Amino acid sequence: MEGAIVLYPCPGSGHLVSMVELGKLILSNHPSFSISVIIPTAPFEAAATQDYIAAISATIPSITFYYLPPVALPQNAFFSAKDFPALVYQLCQLNNPNLHETLLAISNRSKIKAFVVDIFCNYSSQVSSNLNIPTYFYFTSGANCLSNFIYFPTIHRSSTKSLKDLEDMKINVPGSPSIRAKDMPEPMLDREKYVYQCFVDTALNMTKSSGIIVNSFELLEERACRALANGECAPGDSMPPVYFIGPVVSEKEQGGEQIHECLRWLDSQPSQSVLFLCFGSMGVFYTEQLKEIALGLERSGVRFLWVVRNPPPSDETVRKLTETDPSIESFLPEGFSERTKDRGRLVKSWAPQKAILSHDSVGGFVTHCGWNSILEAVCAGVPMLAWPQYAEQKMNKIFLVEEMKIALPVDASEEELVSAIELEKRVSELTESEEGKAVRERVKAMKDGAAVALKEGGSSRIALAKLAESFGGIHLK
């Protein structure tokens, strides 16, 4: 029987794609393994991942996908960026009986060497533990974020108050810059919520696992990597081996005709002249904010490629419009597209981000600070303007600006609005100031560092070899 590595991702695209790419990385360096990916049926739209999975299935026979049957979620569960953590924790908890059956079926064909889970699949370790399968966690964000996550039970024990009530109090985590309590991820803010306890449980469980795999590399996050490796982030708890095997980024993207059009437009632009704005798969703005972005871009005089999504249904402008799929221009200042047509391009909803970032014409990236986007920018050597939206992104902004020094901050008002003046100012800083120049040089050095880490003898390649070696142990009888 061949040795199988079973991967259990959360069904959100940023998590699922990253974990499948981890599977591809393991196979490319250690082809004696087979990879089985177990996917819970998502209670939300997952079309983007369906295309991706179909492409993987058609080209890599050593990766097999298993879908768990749908489960009934609580009546009050509905999907938005804010509700995502609680929703997927519940989804994976309810799937434990289905997971048990699937793991038994896989074990009939292969020796299961390791079970690798996303943090949102934490409670699945109850199943793998009963079946005597070594369980590893794959952390799809960076080492600084992991430091804070592993330290979270210590924060929990140190106070009876919720972080949301501590506001500007600074939290000091080994290996990381200090962070205001209110900038911690939403699920960590209210200790009365279900998802808060899920995060505490997960952090504690990770310290008891067979290992933690991190999508980062040592040069990018030196202090955090060292603190994690030395066990400083889990005072009073043991710490398993931590494997920094990144950057793991997807090689190919699915796209349509409009995609090729925006790349053709980039072909006609001067080298490193275009500012790319893209805010992730769940990043949506109200009309007021879209207008401020448009005005900021117009005033800055910069060339730009902007991926724009329609505002949420509750937006006042959306409610007034009769079309089911209104044009982008409906939400922007009148005449904006016409006035900027010689130096700007709007793309609706989606664009091939990795291909755009790798294009010679792109010289800056306004990002929501999602970790996959950050790594794609690092691998392309593109400096960033950090504009967080949800999840751990407010923390990532601090890490990018203060620790890694590969981005400049975009600051919002108390009402979470970024003004046209603020955006114009930051664009100017990135393109013209000494600080912007330093960021550009630093991110180019990190691009080279990422390439070295992945090569033979590089830190990430060595970590991957150690991980594969650790997979050689216990297997399901």
Side-chain angles (χ1 to χ4, degrees):
M1 278 189 175
E2 65 183 356
I5 310 300
V6 179
L7 309 181
Y8 192 36
C10 149
S13 62
H15 291 253
L16 188 148
V17 171
S18 185
M19 192 174 277
V20 174
E21 291 296 323
L22 169 67
K24 285 168 59 181
L25 182 68
I26 292 167
L27 276 183
S28 65
N29 289 276
H30 304 279
S32 59
F33 292 119
S34 67
I35 303 289
S36 297
V37 185
I38 301 175
I39 302 174
T41 299
F44 48 83
E45 180 58 48
T49 55
Q50 286 167 10
D51 291 345
Y52 170 79
I53 290 165
I56 298 291
S57 298
T59 53
I60 308 176
S62 297
I63 300 182
T64 308
F65 293 90
Y66 298 83
Y67 287 91
L68 300 182
V71 292
L73 284 160
Q75 289 281 310
N76 61 350
F78 74 95
F79 177 64
S80 73
K82 189 175 175 181
D83 302 317
F84 183 83
L87 182 69
V88 289
Y89 266 120
Q90 289 177 75
L91 176 68
C92 293
Q93 249 183 320
L94 292 167
N95 259 306
N96 273 357
N98 297 325
L99 174 67
H100 186 270
E101 293 304 311
T102 307
L103 285 172
L104 287 176
I106 294 169
S107 72
N108 289 331
R109 290 185 288 279
S110 308
K111 291 177 182 176
I112 300 180
K113 297 287 190 177
F115 182 53
V116 183
V117 304
D118 188 280
I119 62 165
F120 293 119
C121 304
N122 170 59
Y123 298 111
S124 65
S125 63
Q126 296 161 356
V127 177
S128 54
S129 175
N130 287 338
L131 294 173
N132 198 30
I133 309 171
T135 302
Y136 296 73
F137 281 83
Y138 178 46
F139 197 73
T140 53
S141 195
N144 277 279
C145 187
L146 178 60
S147 300
N148 282 263
F149 195 84
I150 293 293
Y151 196 72
F152 187 49
T154 304
I155 297 169
H156 170 70
R157 290 189 290 258
S158 69
S159 173
T160 54
K161 287 187 175 180
S162 290
L163 292 181
K164 68 182 174 63
D165 300 321
L166 300 175
E167 286 283 314
D168 290 324
M169 190 193 87
K170 289 292 181 80
I171 293 169
N172 297 300
V173 172
S176 276
S178 60
I179 290 176
R180 293 180 306 178
K182 65 183 179 184
D183 288 335
M184 295 290 274
E186 179 88 24
M188 294 181 172
L189 298 182
D190 188 348
R191 63 197 297 136
E192 302 302 317
K193 294 279 179 71
Y194 157 81
V195 73
Y196 179 99
Q197 191 58 50
C198 290
F199 269 41
V200 172
D201 292 348
T202 303
L204 289 170
N205 204 21
M206 288 171 85
T207 64
K208 300 178 180 73
S209 69
S210 296
I212 303 172
I213 308 160
V214 190
N215 188 9
S216 190
F217 59 102
E218 290 177 5
L219 181 67
L220 184 65
E221 304 186 85
E222 284 177 305
R223 284 204 312 139
C225 289
R226 193 161 53 244
L228 286 162
N230 294 341
E232 295 169 42
C233 305
D237 295 303
S238 59
M239 191 73 181
V242 187
Y243 304 95
F244 305 102
I245 50 79
V248 178
V249 293
S250 178
E251 291 168 21
K252 292 183 180 175
E253 296 162 303
Q254 309 295 312
E257 197 50 44
Q258 65 155 352
I259 310 314
H260 303 303
E261 180 53 38
C262 78
L263 290 172
R264 280 196 291 270
W265 178 79
L266 282 174
D267 289 341
S268 67
Q269 304 305 308
S271 178
Q272 296 187 21
S273 66
V274 177
L275 183 72
F276 176 48
L277 300 90
C278 189
F279 298 93
S281 57
M282 292 190 284
V284 292
F285 293 115
Y286 284 92
T287 299
E288 182 185 11
Q289 181 63 83
L290 291 175
K291 287 183 173 176
E292 290 294 321
I293 296 172
L295 288 170
L297 290 173
E298 188 171 353
R299 288 177 187 168
S300 73
V302 73
R303 296 171 191 269
F304 65 87
L305 176 62
W306 178 15
V307 182
V308 191
R309 293 176 184 276
N310 283 354
S314 56
D315 182 86
E316 194 173 327
T317 307
V318 173
R319 290 206 304 265
K320 287 177 183 173
L321 293 169
T322 53
E323 312 101 290
T324 52
D325 188 22
S327 69
I328 297 167
E329 282 77 7
S330 311
F331 308 105
L332 303 179
E334 194 172 341
F336 168 77
S337 297
E338 182 63 27
R339 291 191 301 274
T340 59
K341 66 181 180 183
D342 293 334
R343 59 179 174 88
R345 198 68 161 206
L346 301 174
V347 179
K348 186 160 188 175
S349 297
W350 190 88
Q353 180 170 288
K354 188 166 182 287
I356 289 168
L357 287 169
S358 301
H359 199 286
D360 177 63
S361 294
V362 174
F365 179 28
V366 183
T367 175
H368 66 308
C369 303
W371 190 246
N372 291 327
S373 294
I374 290 167
L375 288 183
E376 286 178 2
V378 167
C379 290
V382 176
M384 287 164 270
L385 291 179
W387 183 344
Q389 304 295 306
Y390 50 85
E392 85 285 14
Q393 293 163 11
K394 286 184 179 177
M395 290 199 318
N396 282 347
K397 172 187 174 181
I398 294 162
F399 306 146
L400 282 172
V401 173
E402 296 181 18
E403 187 74 8
M404 300 175 220
K405 296 180 171 58
I406 54 176
L408 297 177
V410 175
D411 295 327
S413 67
E414 287 296 318
E415 294 75 35
E416 297 290 317
L417 186 77
V418 171
S419 68
I421 292 169
E422 168 70 5
L423 181 59
E424 180 188 5
K425 174 183 158 192
R426 297 305 184 180
V427 170
S428 175
E429 277 182 12
L430 189 65
T431 54
E432 297 168 16
S433 74
E434 283 301 311
E435 199 176 354
K437 183 182 175 186
V439 164
R440 287 199 303 278
E441 288 174 358
R442 173 91 172 158
V443 80
K444 282 185 169 55
M446 288 299 151
K447 174 187 177 181
D448 296 339
V452 169
L454 293 171
K455 282 181 181 164
E456 192 72 46
S459 62
S460 296
R461 192 76 168 269
I462 291 168
L464 185 67
K466 287 179 180 174
L467 175 66
E469 190 181 334
S470 78
F471 287 162
I474 309 165
H475 60 80
L476 180 60
K477 302 280 194 300

